[in-house]
Amino acid sequence: MRLLTHNYMQSTVKGTERGYPLKIEATKIEFEASPFDAEFIQALLPKIDYTTLLFALKQISENGNADLAQTIIPELPESIKEDGEGEVDEALLKKLHTVMFDIHVVEGELVCPDTGRRFNIKMGIPNMILHADEL
Amino acid sequence: TKNLEEEGSESADRPFLILSFQYDYVISKFNIYNDDGECIKDDISEVSTLDKNSKRTFASILSRCALIRSVIELWGSGTTTDSCANSVKTLSMNEHGIKLLSRHMVDTTSWKITVHTLGSKYNREEQNEMRAKFSFLNFPGKIQMKDPLHEYIIIREIELDFKGSPIYPRRGIHKDIIPEHDKLPPLAVYFGRILGGRRDWRGGRLEKYNLKSRTYLGPTSMDSELSLIMTNLGKVRKGSFCFDPFVGTGSILLTCGLRGGYCFGTDIDLRVLRGRSQNENVFCNFEQYKLERPELVRSDNALYDRHYRCHKPIYDAIICDPPYGIRAGARKSGSKLDQPRAVPEEHRHDHIAQTKTYAVSDVMADLLDVAARTLVMGGRLVYIIPSMTDFDVNTDLPRHECLNLLHICYQPLQTELGRRTVTMEKVKEYNPELKDKYIESVWINGTDAAEKCERIRERLLEVAKLKPDYEEKAAMRKKRRQETKEAKKKAKYANQAKSDST
């Protein structure tokens, strides 16, 4: 699971409306550099929730592999500054790319902030199916 | 209602099409780059420099267009081989033709003439008779049958039916020639030089992407050619955000990746998502083609807006083959029991939740609604729907206020069964407050149309059972299945015993 995907995921267990963003308790994280496409990242920015991205990044840095966090995971600013034409500085775009695409939570759990319900992640695939009594 | 399909019209009757354009027109539509990455569009008058670069242009056109068999520089055509040869001779004598052919006259490189006879087999002798008519061209180089530098082609086109079979086949069931058919003149004969063919696709043969060589397959994997066509209909390109809500073995999503798209797939079936083992799963398929890891989530498309925040549209393309219960059953969240049993807390996160049957009418309604909600404006939904002969495109396709129906492409599969690839485009902003209204209006003809789909498996079985040898064939199939199963078991134990002893 990449942090971009986490940006959209929520818990609606028993109809809760406070199931976003999900907490991340990662037990295995992998890092895989991928090709950077500035245009793609620029187009993606208005579609994501930046606060959630920062939150997710913090979760990853705190638990999981600490050495990994130190060496590879970049730091992101509190907010994204755009220039006159709404363009973002390329260095920042590269960091955003790394955070959104190159960090993979391979094993772990996503936790609903309201109900505490845990959704597991195995082989990088989160299992979000709700049980009949949670619908 | 607009009639979107014209079955029986001319184009529908000609599965093999030759589209011809003026050279300048084609070249004007594309930029041509030389080896140094410089655009040499303005120098196209120099035919010799054009040669190498046009090959690359055509190679890139071919890599995008799965259905184009080859790009040919047309030298002549006619209604018989003789008249075709004459038109080539005429070309060789005019100013433009002389320039065109002069390159080949001084060439000492290898060449061959391929004879392509549509829908009929001609033996080597007969083919050489046709080749002989063009011997006046007098190519100086040597003939090389395997991978020559220049390949020329003679195409003999005859009339084909909508399935691609000859209307007047040359040979009967026992391969004997039918003289009345054999005497019939062809529709046309063409001669030209091949500028690019399937061999140029992505630097290797198209067959490389064939399912046969794929690591992880399932009964529902989409054939690579149709996947390529679907990505074209969906306008998937580099940077497209692609979504497949019924990802299964990932065959369609993989093609989105091949087109440069960012891939996201979901499925309710955890087993198919996780694959058979560490070495046999969706990720392995992507790795096999050197693509980035796709994003996969186990979620229920019937509850898309419960799993994901939908406040902003994000997808450029949604390309999928929804489950119709023909080869794989459709499931959604929930229990078939009225009082579902509660899962104990400690097992909740790990327990595989119960699922229940998902009716086709709901599968499609949910798909269209999710597409309307999550596609960006101008984004495309491309999906497959199976249909039998009683399918009516004007009433049997699902609709949505926010989506415009663009294309319907029909592919016959069996006598009674075919499938349609439907393309829709988002043209109107989605209003979440109108969700119920949207869903209600999906099937304008009530759910009869959806039920037609749902009952296809039953109906095909009914048709099959009427055949005289049904019982016999069914028994044979069962026997063969058991034999394969036992053979696999034996092989598995043999392997295990081998690895245990080493």
Side-chain angles (χ1 to χ4, degrees):
Chain A
M1 185 198 72
R2 291 178 170 92
L3 298 190
L4 174 63
T5 313
H6 167 267
N7 208 269
Y8 297 105
M9 293 166 78
Q10 63 180 1
S11 154
T12 53
V13 168
K14 292 200 178 78
T16 175
E17 286 176 19
R18 291 168 300 161
Y20 179 87
L22 296 163
K23 293 191 228 168
I24 308 175
E25 286 179 20
T27 49
K28 185 172 176 205
I29 304 176
E30 271 172 20
F31 182 87
E32 212 174 281
S34 59
F36 167 69
D37 181 350
E39 220 181 291
F40 183 50
I41 306 291
Q42 184 76 60
L44 210 49
L45 288 181
K47 300 179 186 175
I48 59 163
D49 185 320
Y50 189 64
T51 318
T52 302
L53 191 67
L54 290 177
F55 168 78
L57 189 59
K58 195 151 171 265
Q59 299 262 294
I60 297 285
S61 311
E62 281 169 3
N63 60 54
N65 197 327
D67 318 303
L68 198 80
Q70 244 80 70
T71 51
I72 297 172
I73 297 174
E75 265 186 49
L76 290 180
E78 282 303 310
S79 65
I80 300 182
K81 285 192 191 65
E82 298 173 1
D83 65 18
E85 281 123 55
E87 301 262 311
V88 174
D89 161 59
E90 186 160 302
L92 178 55
L93 285 180
K94 284 207 170 115
K95 285 190 184 159
L96 287 165
H97 167 91
T98 307
V99 171
M100 290 196 286
F101 292 96
D102 297 345
I103 303 170
H104 299 265
V105 179
V106 180
E107 311 275 329
E109 282 177 332
L110 295 169
V111 188
C112 173
D114 184 21
T115 61
R117 153 73 142 109
R118 308 176 84 81
F119 300 91
N120 72 16
I121 303 177
K122 278 201 187 129
M123 279 178 65
I125 305 172
N127 179 356
M128 306 305 293
I129 298 294
L130 300 173
H131 299 291
D133 60 348
E134 293 171 323
L135 292 172
Chain B
T1 39
K2 206 163 56 141
N3 224 351
L4 290 145
E5 228 181 37
E6 286 162 315
E7 255 154 337
S9 76
E10 246 191 61
S11 56
D13 285 347
R14 289 188 72 184
F16 176 82
L17 284 175
I18 296 184
L19 304 169
S20 65
F21 303 96
Q22 291 232 316
Y23 209 40
D24 296 344
Y25 173 81
V26 178
I27 301 301
S28 70
K29 296 291 175 192
F30 297 90
N31 288 327
I32 303 176
Y33 296 90
N34 62 16
D35 280 334
D36 298 326
E38 292 163 347
C39 184
I40 61 158
K41 197 170 175 155
D42 298 323
D43 292 333
I44 58 167
S45 53
E46 255 320 300
V47 182
S48 51
T49 38
L50 179 60
D51 223 36
K52 186 168 62 154
N53 297 294
S54 68
K55 239 200 162 173
R56 210 177 303 134
T57 304
F58 295 123
S60 74
I61 299 173
L62 286 164
S63 74
R64 184 79 224 194
C65 306
L67 292 174
I68 295 184
R69 188 161 180 154
S70 38
V71 180
I72 299 168
E73 182 183 69
L74 193 67
W75 286 12
S77 62
T79 48
T80 61
T81 319
D82 285 312
S83 59
C84 176
N86 280 334
S87 89
V88 175
K89 210 175 261 175
T90 312
L91 176 80
S92 69
M93 296 189 297
N94 75 34
E95 191 194 319
H96 175 74
I98 290 173
K99 226 194 251 173
L100 194 71
L101 268 57
S102 61
R103 290 173 291 160
H104 305 275
M105 297 316 179
V106 298
D107 252 342
T108 42
T109 45
S110 55
W111 59 275
K112 80 163 178 174
I113 301 181
T114 298
V115 177
H116 181 56
T117 48
L118 227 63
S120 33
K121 264 198 151 68
Y122 283 73
N123 62 34
R124 189 172 300 180
E125 219 178 80
E126 292 165 324
Q127 288 187 17
N128 282 340
E129 261 176 51
M130 290 198 265
R131 287 188 178 103
K133 305 220 190 254
F134 296 88
S135 57
F136 64 86
L137 286 168
N138 231 341
F139 294 128
K142 65 170 162 74
I143 299 178
Q144 190 177 296
M145 291 317 272
K146 191 166 172 24
D147 295 325
L149 210 62
H150 288 299
E151 188 179 345
Y152 304 92
I153 188 164
I154 302 171
I155 300 177
R156 185 180 188 277
E157 189 190 2
I158 61 173
E159 251 187 291
L160 300 173
D161 64 18
F162 75 102
K163 279 200 216 129
S165 307
I167 296 182
Y168 307 105
R170 193 180 180 224
R171 293 174 197 274
I173 315 172
H174 304 291
K175 312 282 183 186
D176 52 313
I177 296 204
I178 304 172
E180 313 86 65
H181 292 175
D182 190 42
K183 276 199 215 114
L184 290 171
L187 270 186
V189 179
Y190 306 88
F191 182 90
R193 185 169 72 94
I194 297 184
L195 297 174
R198 282 209 156 162
R199 251 164 282 153
D200 288 326
W201 202 85
R202 249 188 166 218
R205 287 178 174 265
L206 189 65
E207 284 69 46
K208 182 162 88 177
Y209 297 93
N210 237 336
L211 288 184
K212 279 189 278 202
S213 54
R214 201 91 43 100
T215 319
Y216 176 50
L217 282 179
T220 56
S221 297
M222 177 59 63
D223 63 83
S224 52
E225 189 179 69
L226 186 54
S227 305
L228 287 166
I229 295 166
M230 289 173 87
T231 56
N232 281 346
L233 291 166
K235 289 191 151 179
V236 175
R237 66 199 98 168
K238 183 162 175 274
S240 294
F241 199 142
C242 306
F243 174 47
D244 183 349
F246 309 106
V247 71
T249 53
S251 43
I252 296 177
L253 204 60
L254 185 106
T255 316
C256 293
L258 288 175
R259 298 300 199 192
Y262 173 69
C263 302
F264 177 52
T266 65
D267 205 296
I268 199 169
D269 188 344
L270 194 56
R271 279 164 303 175
V272 88
L273 280 176
R274 286 193 183 156
R276 290 193 197 103
S277 69
Q278 285 284 42
N279 301 320
E280 242 186 292
N281 56 58
V282 182
F283 298 121
C284 296
N285 283 346
F286 274 71
E287 220 179 284
Q288 190 183 351
Y289 294 98
K290 304 211 179 20
L291 296 170
E292 296 303 316
R293 216 191 287 204
E295 273 297 282
L296 299 178
V297 176
R298 182 184 182 223
S299 62
D300 180 359
N301 203 49
L303 299 177
Y304 182 92
D305 55 9
R306 288 194 60 178
H307 293 301
Y308 308 98
R309 285 177 99 206
C310 304
H311 55 300
K312 288 198 188 120
I314 47 172
Y315 305 123
D316 297 306
I318 299 179
I319 319 237
C320 60
D321 178 19
Y324 294 101
I326 299 178
R327 290 165 302 167
R331 312 289 298 170
K332 67 191 249 191
S333 309
S335 170
K336 54 186 178 213
L337 302 171
D338 285 324
Q339 309 280 346
R341 278 207 314 234
V343 181
E345 277 310 313
E346 61 272 20
H347 292 304
R348 216 165 257 280
H349 67 292
D350 218 359
H351 177 85
I352 309 279
Q354 275 227 305
T355 55
K356 60 182 183 182
T357 317
Y358 193 10
V360 169
S361 53
D362 295 329
V363 171
M364 298 313 291
D366 291 336
L367 175 63
L368 261 67
D369 200 61
V370 168
R373 190 164 192 173
T374 59
L375 280 172
V376 300
M377 281 301 270
R380 294 202 170 185
L381 164 66
V382 183
Y383 68 88
I384 309 267
I385 187 165
S387 51
M388 295 186 76
T389 44
D390 57 357
F391 191 85
D392 178 357
V393 290
N394 295 306
T395 56
D396 292 348
L397 279 181
R399 306 293 175 114
H400 197 289
E401 214 177 286
C402 305
L403 303 172
N404 196 22
L405 188 55
L406 284 184
H407 310 295
I408 309 173
C409 307
Y410 179 69
Q411 182 190 12
L413 294 173
Q414 299 169 24
T415 343
E416 296 282 331
L417 184 70
R419 62 185 171 190
R420 284 174 164 82
T421 305
V422 180
T423 310
M424 300 182 96
E425 188 181 38
K426 176 160 171 178
V427 294
K428 190 175 177 190
E429 293 291 358
Y430 184 92
N431 181 352
E433 287 171 22
L434 299 177
K435 183 177 176 179
D436 291 332
K437 175 171 172 275
Y438 292 144
I439 300 257
E440 251 174 55
S441 328
V442 165
W443 296 101
I444 50 171
N445 231 29
T447 49
D448 286 349
E451 270 160 37
K452 266 191 203 173
C453 226
E454 205 137 25
R455 292 199 59 236
I456 285 183
R457 191 170 193 197
E458 256 176 72
R459 290 155 74 200
L460 283 174
L461 201 61
E462 279 168 28
V463 170
K465 282 193 174 150
L466 293 174
K467 295 210 174 110
D469 53 359
Y470 173 74
E471 293 294 340
E472 220 186 293
K473 284 200 170 153
M476 254 176 63
R477 277 196 299 264
K478 188 170 183 186
K479 186 163 167 239
R480 226 178 292 145
R481 268 200 305 270
Q482 279 173 330
E483 286 174 358
T484 329
K485 217 177 176 182
E486 313 223 321
K488 271 191 179 165
K489 251 193 204 168
K490 278 196 183 152
K492 189 178 171 191
Y493 288 136
N495 269 338
Q496 264 184 10
K498 221 181 179 179
S499 62
D500 283 343
S501 61
T502 49

